[in-house]
Amino acid sequence: MIAVPGGARRSAAAPAPAAVPPDEDLAPAALAARYGLAVSGARPSLRRYTAEVWRRRHFVSAHATAKLTATYSGSRLGQLWQVMTPLLNAAVYYLIFGLLFGSSRGVPNYIAYLCTGVFVYNFTQTSVLAGTKAIQGNLALVRALHFPRACLPLSITLSQLQQLLFSMAVLTAIVLARGEPLTPRWLLAVPALALQSVFNAGLAMALARLGAKVTDVSQLMPFILRTWMYFSGVFYDPRHLAGHFPHAVSAALEANPTVVYIALMRYALLDSVHRADLPPHLWTLAIGWALAAGIGGYLVFWRGEEEYGRG
C-alpha cells in the first residue's frame, strides 16, 4: 500500500486508466459514433420520406408554376406556345399521315381524333423528357438545399399537367367545332387524366434516377419516344395496325399504356368513338399502369435518394 496526502491509500498494483485511442486510429464509423455524427443526406425510411414529400407539396406546386412560366418567357408569343406546339404537330401529322398516307380512312371525324391523340401523347412525352433531366438540370438546387429529391420530377409532371389543362381549352374548341356533342361522357376525362398523371409521374421519377446516373439518357430518349409514338395510335386507329400481327403481339399493342390513355380520352370527348372500338378491359389497364408506374417509379427513385447531386 502507498500512503497519499490526507491519509488515503491505494494499492500499488491498481491498473492505470485505459488509454483513449487517437482519432486517426479509428475507423470512419467509430469516429462518427464518437462525435455523434450522422451521414449527410442519408436516405430516410419510406414512410418518413413520403411524409417529407407531402410537407413540401406547396414547394412542388410553386416550382411547377414557376418552371412553366419561365419555359416560354424568352419568346415573343410566350405561353401561346403551350397550345401552338401540339397544334403544329397535329397539322404536320394530318398532312403526312392523314392526307398522304391515308390514315384518316375509316376514322370518323379524323381531325378531332388526331388532335386528341397528339395532345394526350404530348403530355406523356414532355413529362418523360423533362423527367430525365430532373436531377441533372437542377444540380445547383440539389446541392444547395436539403429536401426530398422526388419533389423535382413531381413538380415537372405537375407543370406538364398544367400545360395540358391550358391546352385542353383549345382541344375542347376543336372537338366542338368539328361537330362532336357535349355529353356526360366528357366527365370521364377527369379520371383518365388523373390516372395518366400518376403514370407519367412514376415514369418521370424512374427516368430521373437513370438520368442522374447516365446523362446520355436525355439524348437517347427523344428517339425512344418517337418510336413509342408510332405504336401508340396517335394519328391512326390502333386496330388497323393490330390486324397485321399475331394475336399475342396485337394484345401487347392494345395494352400499350399510351394507347390506353389516348383511347380513354377519345372515348370521353368524341361521340364518334364507341365502346366497341376500344381495347378490352380499358379501365383496368389504365389503373394497373398507373399503379405499377406510380408506385414502382417512386420506390426506384427513393432507393437512389443518397446518390443525387454527389457525382
Side-chain angles (χ1 to χ4, degrees):
M1 303 293 292
I2 300 175
V4 295
R9 297 176 176 226
R10 68 177 176 87
S11 172
V20 178
D23 289 349
E24 56 268 18
D25 294 339
L26 294 177
L31 184 62
R34 168 180 286 186
Y35 293 102
L37 302 178
V39 178
S40 177
R43 183 183 69 204
S45 66
L46 182 60
R47 181 177 180 179
R48 181 183 171 191
Y49 187 76
T50 304
E52 290 180 0
V53 172
W54 175 250
R55 282 202 304 271
R56 288 164 176 81
R57 62 190 181 278
H58 302 297
F59 164 74
V60 172
S61 177
H63 187 264
T65 303
K67 191 172 186 64
L68 180 62
T69 303
T71 300
Y72 302 101
S73 60
S75 59
R76 288 181 177 271
L77 297 179
Q79 302 299 315
L80 286 177
W81 283 108
Q82 297 180 41
V83 178
M84 292 182 62
T85 299
L87 280 179
L88 290 174
N89 284 333
V92 171
Y93 297 148
Y94 177 72
L95 174 64
I96 296 175
F97 296 98
L99 297 181
L100 296 182
F101 287 95
S103 298
S104 59
R105 287 194 294 268
V107 180
N109 205 347
Y110 181 72
I111 292 179
Y113 188 91
L114 172 64
C115 289
T116 304
V118 170
F119 276 68
V120 174
Y121 183 80
N122 187 69
F123 177 32
T124 294
Q125 176 178 254
T126 52
S127 298
V128 170
L129 278 175
T132 59
K133 304 175 184 178
I135 301 299
Q136 289 298 320
N138 295 279
L139 278 179
L141 183 63
V142 169
R143 290 170 176 170
L145 300 175
H146 177 69
F147 63 96
R149 310 314 187 199
C151 292
L152 295 175
L154 288 175
S155 70
I156 284 173
T157 305
L158 180 58
S159 175
Q160 298 305 322
L161 177 60
Q162 291 173 344
Q163 180 171 332
L164 176 64
L165 294 177
F166 185 79
S167 305
M168 286 295 289
V170 177
L171 178 60
T172 299
I174 293 173
V175 170
L176 293 175
R178 295 297 301 173
E180 294 288 345
L182 182 63
T183 67
R185 269 175 29 190
W186 282 47
L187 296 176
L188 295 176
V190 176
L193 278 181
L195 291 172
Q196 187 184 6
S197 299
V198 175
F199 172 80
N200 290 353
L203 208 55
M205 285 187 285
L207 288 171
R209 182 180 180 184
L210 181 60
K213 283 186 173 182
V214 186
T215 55
D216 291 340
V217 170
S218 61
Q219 304 300 323
L220 181 63
M221 194 53 60
F223 301 98
I224 296 175
L225 289 169
R226 193 175 306 152
T227 304
W228 192 7
M229 179 184 65
Y230 294 144
F231 289 95
S232 298
V234 173
F235 34 76
Y236 62 88
D237 188 337
R239 294 177 301 169
H240 296 168
L241 182 63
H244 297 283
F245 295 99
H247 176 72
V249 177
S250 299
L253 291 174
E254 289 181 345
N256 178 351
T258 47
V259 169
V260 170
Y261 294 120
I262 290 173
L264 283 178
M265 189 58 65
R266 283 172 173 161
Y267 178 68
L269 300 182
L270 307 180
D271 194 56
S272 54
V273 176
H274 306 291
R275 185 65 185 88
D277 301 329
L278 305 178
H281 314 297
L282 196 63
W283 283 104
T284 302
L285 287 171
I287 295 171
W289 278 119
L291 292 177
I295 297 175
Y298 184 74
L299 292 175
V300 167
F301 188 89
W302 163 72
R303 290 183 64 85
E305 181 71 12
E306 295 179 351
E307 307 168 2
Y308 307 132
R310 295 181 181 272

